[in-house]
């Protein structure tokens, strides 16, 4: 027996915020929403071969700041620009040697990290 990958990650969001969550993950992040009959009220998005499941809950509470989901991406500056244009606050003060990275919270307050190997590029102005 060997574990070879993560199949999915499940994050909560407050019931009634489906539109905001869908917009954030599909329009801003560019993830493909997966729709099938078995999803119920959960929202499912593909991130490469993995899935992100977002589940509405009536007893929603923000997760601790140390908990987060990290995405390795191509063209991090383009994503950064899109999120800044949407006026989302980014946290960019946590250096990681060898990577460009930033954090942002989704509409439910789930912290997300986006990183890309640093090829000595500077952030665009």
């Amino acid at each position: 027996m060997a574990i070879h990958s993560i199949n999915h990650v499940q994050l909560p969001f407050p019931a009634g915020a489906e539109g905001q969550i869908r917009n954030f993950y599909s329009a801003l992040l560019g993830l493909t929403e997966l729709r099938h009959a078995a999803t119920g009220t959960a929202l499912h998005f593909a991130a490469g071969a993995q899935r992100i499941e977002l589940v509405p809950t009536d007893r929603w509470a923000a997760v601790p700041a140390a908990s987060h989901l990290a995405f390795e991406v191509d063209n991090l500056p383009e994503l950064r620009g899109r999120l800044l244009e949407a006026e989302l606050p980014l946290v960019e003060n946590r250096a990681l040697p060898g990577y460009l990275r930033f954090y942002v919270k989704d509409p439910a307050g789930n912290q997300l990290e986006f990183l890309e190997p640093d090829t000595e590029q500077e952030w665009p102005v």
Side-chain angles (χ1 to χ4, degrees), residues 75-93:
N75 199 352
L76 188 68
E78 189 273 328
L79 175 61
R80 178 181 177 271
R82 191 165 57 236
L83 295 174
L84 287 172
E85 187 174 297
E87 299 182 359
L88 292 171
L90 307 182
V91 175
E92 302 182 275
N93 62 353

Side-chain angles (χ1 to χ4, degrees), residues 1-124:
M1 198 269 327
I3 296 173
H4 58 85
S5 70
I6 294 172
N7 178 271
H8 71 274
V9 173
Q10 190 173 81
L11 300 173
F13 69 89
E18 289 82 357
Q20 290 176 301
I21 295 295
R22 180 174 277 124
N23 182 64
F24 180 84
Y25 283 89
S26 64
L28 288 176
L29 300 187
L31 299 178
T32 301
E33 185 171 0
L34 306 172
R35 298 179 192 245
H36 49 80
T39 63
T41 58
L43 300 174
H44 299 255
F45 296 91
Q50 291 79 38
R51 293 178 300 145
I52 301 164
E53 298 178 356
L54 294 127
V55 181
T57 179
D58 291 327
R59 295 182 167 188
W60 177 84
V63 296
S67 299
H68 68 278
L69 173 58
F71 295 94
E72 187 166 330
V73 304
D74 293 325
N75 199 352
L76 188 68
E78 189 273 328
L79 175 61
R80 178 181 177 271
R82 191 165 57 236
L83 295 174
L84 287 172
E85 187 174 297
E87 299 182 359
L88 292 171
L90 307 182
V91 175
E92 302 182 275
N93 62 353
R94 299 178 191 162
L96 179 63
Y99 288 90
L100 297 174
R101 77 171 175 177
F102 63 83
Y103 293 84
V104 68
K105 291 191 178 190
D106 75 6
N110 296 306
Q111 185 160 268
L112 307 175
E113 176 184 3
F114 296 93
L115 64 156
E116 180 175 32
D118 186 358
T119 58
E120 313 247 353
Q121 58 188 340
E122 297 291 325
W123 289 119

